[in-house]
Amino acid sequence: MSHARAIHLSRRGLLAAGGAVGLGAALAACGDDKGKAEGAGSGSTAAKPGPWTFKDDRGTTVKLDKVPADIVAFTGVGAALYDYGVQVKGVFGPTTTKGGKPDVQAGDMDVSKVTVLGNTWGQFNVEKCAALSPDVLITTMFDGAGTLWYVPEQSAKQIAELAPSVGISVYDRQLTQPLQRMWDLAESLGGDMKAAKVTDAKKRFEAAAARLRAAAKAKPHIKVMAGSASDQLFYVSGTHLSVDLEYFKALGVNFVEPPESAKKQGGGWYESLSWENVDKYQADIIMMDDRSSAIQPADITQPTWKKLPAVKAGQVIARSPEPILSYDKCVPLLTTLAEALEKAQKVS
């Protein structure tokens, strides 16, 4: 989703709808896939000899005398790096739930071992960040302008003075591209990319992709809709712009596609529907936003929702609009959809 701050409408909303971030409000949304990186080592947090160079997806090259050891990152980025053996020092973005448990976007990170600089949209404690003396700040980007995800506009200049930034684009490309970019970044930061759990995860991802392709080929008549729920609205995402949906579509999945005119208010990411009109599109499987910012299917009380054929048939699954960009965390995204397709009955 995109929250490029108020002017671009809602990444949150965008995401909410399947774009990239959360829901219902108008927050705003927030180049080179072949950027090169040079770094050292294996391991994680100890500073390694340099120099260190990484060219991000804005085309910006960060050069440091040593491999960054003190890293501040968006929560989902920190979770991806953790899977590759790189521990970040501070995070910003959805990290813990109201009950204090790790947010879904925190992955396997031990959230008690990181400094949380902000847990919700618009929060970023600049003073805490400065105290960490970060070598680099890393986040994703959900627009073509290079807007750093979850870095508040009002404090962006102050934050930029604390450390150079690296942006990994998750905008208008297939999932495999940012996955490779995160792999390259983790490797440059000292991640052990030859570890058995790392190489095994990549193989499992490839096998899961083959399974999803086969399932989609066998069930071309099954229609899938990507949605997200808020109190007032239901968001239907188009496949264009979202890294996961673009990839699933390329594998052959048959998606509900709102017309471009209907997605205009959603920045091109999604169409907003009132709950009275939630049955506008026919779908056999509904993929629902699993982020804590969205209302989860079990908590939706709208009678129009409960009447949808896919809901009545129990053909509702989770979707992660902001995937944790490690192969390990993306395997379930593929297998969940593949299994749903394999079992799905035509109900629309």
Side-chain angles (χ1 to χ4, degrees):
M1 208 160 72
S2 193
H3 278 313
R5 309 337 132 114
I7 36 181
H8 291 106
L9 192 347
S10 93
R11 173 78 226 194
R12 234 192 168 176
L14 294 179
L15 281 191
V21 188
L23 46 196
L27 301 145
C30 332
D32 177 1
D33 291 324
K34 298 180 180 178
K36 298 180 180 178
E38 296 178 3
S42 69
S44 51
T45 52
K48 306 215 167 27
W52 181 81
T53 300
F54 191 86
K55 184 177 181 181
D56 77 358
D57 292 336
R58 297 169 297 182
T60 299
T61 299
V62 177
K63 297 181 179 180
L64 300 174
D65 293 335
K66 62 180 178 64
V67 176
D70 297 326
I71 302 168
V72 166
F74 172 67
T75 302
V77 170
L81 293 176
Y82 179 88
D83 285 350
Y84 294 131
V86 178
Q87 177 68 55
V88 303
K89 199 169 184 179
V91 294
F92 53 94
T95 307
T96 58
T97 64
K98 291 181 180 179
K101 295 181 179 180
D103 188 273
V104 64
Q105 294 190 62
D108 293 332
M109 274 196 308
D110 184 343
V111 296
S112 69
K113 293 184 178 180
V114 294
T115 298
V116 180
L117 305 174
N119 199 54
T120 61
W121 182 256
Q123 288 184 349
F124 194 111
N125 192 313
V126 178
E127 291 72 25
K128 276 189 177 181
C129 185
L132 295 177
S133 300
D135 297 319
V136 67
L137 179 148
I138 309 171
T139 187
T140 48
M141 301 181 297
F142 282 94
D143 62 21
T147 306
L148 297 177
W149 191 234
Y150 262 80
V151 174
E153 183 178 23
Q154 64 271 22
S155 53
K157 289 184 178 180
Q158 292 174 277
I159 294 168
E161 293 173 354
L162 301 179
S165 61
V166 168
I168 299 297
S169 180
V170 285
Y171 174 75
D172 195 17
R173 60 202 60 205
Q174 294 182 24
L175 178 61
T176 47
Q177 292 176 273
L179 268 175
Q180 183 59 51
R181 294 292 285 139
M182 192 62 70
W183 175 286
D184 295 340
L185 178 59
E187 185 173 36
S188 79
L189 293 169
D192 185 358
M193 315 313 284
K194 294 181 179 180
K197 67 176 184 178
V198 172
T199 56
D200 174 67
K202 193 169 186 178
K203 290 177 182 177
R204 288 188 291 110
F205 178 88
E206 293 165 353
R211 179 183 176 184
L212 179 55
R213 187 188 295 277
K217 185 176 182 180
K219 297 279 189 75
H221 58 293
I222 295 297
K223 201 80 172 177
V224 180
M225 180 168 68
S228 185
S230 69
D231 288 331
Q232 301 298 321
L233 298 169
F234 183 82
Y235 307 93
V236 179
S237 292
T239 57
H240 182 51
L241 304 182
S242 297
V243 292
D244 61 330
L245 301 184
E246 284 201 11
Y247 183 52
F248 299 157
K249 183 179 180 180
L251 291 175
V253 179
N254 183 10
F255 280 99
V256 167
E257 293 282 4
E260 290 303 314
S261 58
K263 295 187 295 180
K264 189 172 182 181
Q265 284 192 329
W269 292 82
Y270 61 87
E271 177 180 2
S272 302
L273 298 175
S274 66
W275 282 104
E276 289 75 15
N277 296 314
V278 73
D279 61 352
K280 178 178 180 178
Y281 298 106
Q282 298 297 305
D284 304 295
I285 296 173
I286 302 176
M287 303 175 67
M288 290 296 289
D289 188 343
D290 69 354
R291 290 168 300 178
S292 56
S293 55
I295 298 176
Q296 297 306 299
D299 299 319
I300 298 175
T301 59
Q302 299 287 346
T304 49
W305 163 260
K306 296 179 180 180
K307 292 180 181 178
L308 294 177
V311 176
K312 292 167 68 175
Q315 295 179 173
V316 178
I317 62 174
R319 176 200 170 208
S320 299
E322 292 183 71
I324 293 173
L325 297 172
S326 73
Y327 286 101
D328 179 71
K329 295 302 178 292
C330 286
V331 169
L333 312 185
L334 297 168
T335 55
T336 297
L337 181 53
E339 182 177 1
L341 282 170
E342 291 163 355
K343 296 179 178 180
Q345 299 296 316
K346 185 69 178 175
V347 295
S348 64

